[in-house]
Amino acid sequence: MDDLDVLRQAILNEVEGMAFYDLAAERTSNPEVKEALIFLKDQEADHEKWLKNLFERLLQKKTFEDEFVSWLDIQHKNQTEREKKGKSPELFAKAKEQFEDGKLFQTATMDLAVFKVGSLMEQAAIDFYSKAAEKASSPEAKALYERLVKWEKVHLNTLNEIHETLTHHWLENYEFFYSHDM
């Protein structure tokens, strides 16, 4: 698999992520969950746009250059700054309520599954980029793929935290003992 193939697959991964989060956002009735899913969908859209730009630049230049990684770092920094200014959702301020209200329990259980699947998708992307970095044709390509691993790890950590919170509340609702060691 050459660098263009890696970027094609990376773009497809982002498109699939956008579609998944968009569909899940449409199906939930919980406003906090919807906000989180839309936020994740928007991040995937940003990543797709950046990757398409990189793909076009790679088509023109034929090789990765250090500037690609620098450009990616700038894009990620800009995203982080937007999040600090309040564009990132306040996730699950009312997560416990959705399980305590019997009407929302079925939706809450579906939300739990959505965040688990999202975590699996992000882990698959991390594995893909990690393998691409191992087989990279140049140090610049390797650096780029390693940067993409860091992007996806941010999503994975967020999804895992959300899933753990929802799992905790789900188990409490069933009066099971909850352990962080699960």
Side-chain angles (χ1 to χ4, degrees), residues 100-112:
E100 292 172 344
D101 183 345
K103 295 176 192 167
L104 293 176
F105 187 75
Q106 184 176 4
T107 301
T109 303
M110 181 59 72
D111 295 338
L112 183 65

Side-chain angles (χ1 to χ4, degrees), residues 89-134:
E90 182 63 39
L91 300 176
F92 303 105
K94 299 178 183 177
K96 190 171 185 175
E97 291 176 21
Q98 66 181 327
F99 289 98
E100 292 172 344
D101 183 345
K103 295 176 192 167
L104 293 176
F105 187 75
Q106 184 176 4
T107 301
T109 303
M110 181 59 72
D111 295 338
L112 183 65
V114 164
F115 286 103
K116 181 63 173 185
V117 171
S119 293
L120 295 173
M121 289 172 53
E122 297 298 339
Q123 185 61 58
I126 290 167
D127 295 345
F128 174 76
Y129 294 134
S130 295
K131 287 178 187 173
E134 289 173 10

Side-chain angles (χ1 to χ4, degrees), residues 56-73:
E56 293 299 323
R57 293 172 81 175
L58 183 58
L59 277 176
Q60 293 171 3
K61 298 199 179 216
K62 304 298 182 207
T63 60
F64 280 111
E65 297 177 357
D66 285 332
E67 73 177 71
F68 287 14
V69 177
S70 299
W71 178 81
L72 199 62
D73 282 338

